[in-house]
Amino acid sequence: GGQKGEGGNLAQVQHVVLILSGKGGVGKSTLTTELALALRHAGKKVGILDVDLCGPSIPRMLSVGKPEVHQCDSGWVPVYTDAQKSLALMSIGFLLEDPDEAVVWRGPKKTALIGQFVSDVAWGELDVLLVDTPPGTSDEHLAVLENLKKQHKVDGAILITTPQAVSTGDVRREITFCKKTGLRILGIVENMSGFVCPHCSVSTPICMDTHTHHLCLLQTGLQLVLD
Amino acid sequence: MADIPSDAPQHCPGTASEQAGKTSACQGCPNQNLCSSGATKAPDPAIEEIAEKMLTVKHKILVLSGKGGVGKSTFSAHLAHALASDATKEVALLDVDICGPSIPRIMGLEGEQVAGLSLCLSPRYVEDNLAVMSIGFLLSSPDDAVIWRGPKKNGMIKQFLRDVDWGELDYLIVDTPPGTSDEHLSIVQYLSSARIDGAVIITTPQEVSLQDVRKEIRFCQKVQLPIIGVVENMSGFVCPKCKVNLPPTTGGAERMCEEMNLTLLGRVPLDPRIGKSCDEGKSFLSEVPDSPAAAAYHSIVQSIQAYCLSHVTREESAG
């Protein structure tokens, strides 16, 4: 694929972190959004690349309605959430005419678009690019990883789970995916550990047991790259 | 020709793909000319083979959602348990979530793997009348990742439908992964000559789920898959301390069903005991039979059965 400008569109991106889970619905997009906002609050320039082509959640989570995606000399201009351009986004959600339109694509077509998302978005200067992914270990994950590696640009992955064994079961497979593809695991987050009532603030467990410790035993020597 | 021939390059788009013979990966492949001529896009003979196989399956139900984590597998498993509670009915549950197969654990069949990648496609039995098939049974370890691209996943689904000895079934329930991609296209394509009764769509009340589910509904309309109805899972959480119930912000599944002219089959409340049952591989319907969630499940299952039976009656009177 073509690399635009000096060193390509990721040349001025300091860190790239994937948000993964084997399991759907554990909060990858939610956590990606919260992490991006927290990093921005800490003064970092952040980008989110949403490679969930069938179920893109990032546009809604950041309340970005239906902006147009423009082209520039280096490729696609990301969608910024504010005038200061502190948070840059790219998602297929911005490219669909009708938000309810289904993207019914087989693997090769998804792979091709993700290749473009990685190399043809003019991210500019970013401290961190977070990559939100769909559940699984398939085309999207292989495509984004292969394309990032071509530009030598992936610090590692954060894995998300919920306490249930049904979730950790899938995340164990995601750990294997990371090992097989040489993707460093920066850490594991257990989401939905409890439900905090917005009225009375009491936390009630919504899962009766946690299996996350089994995952952590599979990983040793984790170290956060980001400050 | 196989969907991915043995001499195909690594990024082969699949011989039946629109891109067959035309992608950069196709350069140098011995099959390139054949693929680009369109000859490989002739109907897959497996479709007729599967139709033949499915003649002994009375009702086929797909469980779909655009969104992950809304409870498709949980629902599929409990639909299977509920239907099989009638000992005169033969029920089977097919799990086509190739990357994240949850069904073995939820059905209490985890650990039924055989050493090495097994070619044995015999279903496992939870009860005498309840059979289950999942790629989970073919993996040698629960940590094994299935890192397959679309075409290889499609091949596995074809095998599940064509090569598993399902026998005579009253109900075949197909649990799917989230999305609208290879697995969904394949299951619809391979069953295209065998009548699918319809799809049950699972959602939760949140808009972030509904927006994906609307896409799934569009997918069903695109491929002309009838929709039996929608189930709203994790419908409401009542704080045990202050008893406040939080309503959905955009009208939940009820409003979506009104807007899209679909049947709301029912709402299942968020009950932590459901997740526990699933983790332990037990049927929630047996573990906590008197709960509001169990009552909701039973009502939904009855509606699905009524739909399937009325479907057959309409066909018989028409044909």
Side-chain angles (χ1 to χ4, degrees), chain A:
Chain A
Q3 291 199 350
K4 315 291 191 297
E6 275 186 37
N9 277 321
L10 291 175
Q12 294 172 295
V13 173
Q14 299 305 312
H15 297 289
V16 179
V17 176
L18 271 60
I19 315 294
L20 300 176
S21 182
K23 187 81 184 70
V26 297
K28 290 178 288 308
S29 300
T30 304
L31 205 100
T32 303
T33 300
E34 296 303 323
L35 189 53
L37 293 172
L39 287 166
R40 182 177 72 172
H41 190 70
K44 306 292 183 194
K45 294 194 84 164
V46 189
I48 302 178
L49 172 58
D50 177 7
V51 298
D52 188 342
L53 304 184
C54 295
S57 303
I58 294 295
R60 180 173 172 90
M61 287 199 177
L62 283 154
S63 304
V64 186
K66 215 214 148 301
E68 285 178 16
V69 175
H70 300 288
Q71 297 270 345
C72 65
D73 287 343
S74 311
W76 287 334
V77 180
V79 171
Y80 293 101
T81 57
D82 56 18
Q84 289 74 37
K85 298 190 176 181
S86 55
L87 182 47
L89 312 175
M90 183 49 66
S91 168
I92 200 174
F94 302 135
L95 304 176
L96 299 173
E97 273 301 310
D98 172 0
D100 293 341
E101 181 186 332
V103 174
V104 185
W105 292 357
R106 289 192 184 269
K109 207 164 168 180
K110 294 195 281 188
T111 295
L113 182 63
I114 288 169
Q116 284 190 274
F117 271 174
V118 172
S119 55
D120 296 349
V121 174
W123 296 105
E125 274 185 28
L126 290 178
D127 293 294
V128 186
L129 176 63
L130 300 174
V131 183
D132 187 25
T133 63
T137 50
S138 189
D139 297 272
E140 296 88 333
H141 312 85
L142 289 166
V144 79
L145 204 48
E146 280 168 6
N147 282 283
L148 285 170
K149 279 180 175 177
K150 276 185 211 164
Q151 305 196 37
H152 306 289
K153 277 284 184 183
V154 51
D155 290 75
I158 297 174
L159 269 56
I160 318 286
T161 186
T162 58
Q164 288 108 333
V166 148
S167 173
T168 58
D170 281 349
V171 178
R172 293 171 79 131
R173 287 183 266 264
E174 200 75 21
I175 290 172
T176 304
F177 171 84
C178 292
K179 284 181 177 160
K180 279 197 167 169
T181 54
L183 180 56
R184 188 171 169 200
I185 297 174
L186 303 177
I188 295 170
V189 175
E190 182 186 88
N191 214 5
M192 304 189 209
S193 293
F195 180 85
V196 180
C197 175
H199 282 256
C200 70
S201 303
V202 165
S203 176
T204 304
I206 47 177
C207 312
M208 300 190 69
D209 212 349
T210 176
H211 295 254
T212 307
H213 51 282
H214 295 304
L215 293 183
C216 294
L217 288 173
L218 294 175
Q219 288 302 304
T220 52
L222 292 174
Q223 176 182 343
L224 271 179
V225 171
L226 306 173
D227 294 334

Side-chain angles (χ1 to χ4, degrees), chain B residues 2 14 140 219:
Chain B
S140 53
F219 165 81

Side-chain angles (χ1 to χ4, degrees), chain A residues 105 107 110 138 146 172 176, chain B residues 143 148-149 181-182 218 279:
Chain A
W105 292 357
K110 294 195 281 188
S138 189
E146 280 168 6
R172 293 171 79 131
T176 304
Chain B
D143 294 344
W148 290 358
R149 290 180 194 270
S181 189
D182 287 275
R218 287 285 188 90
D279 276 0

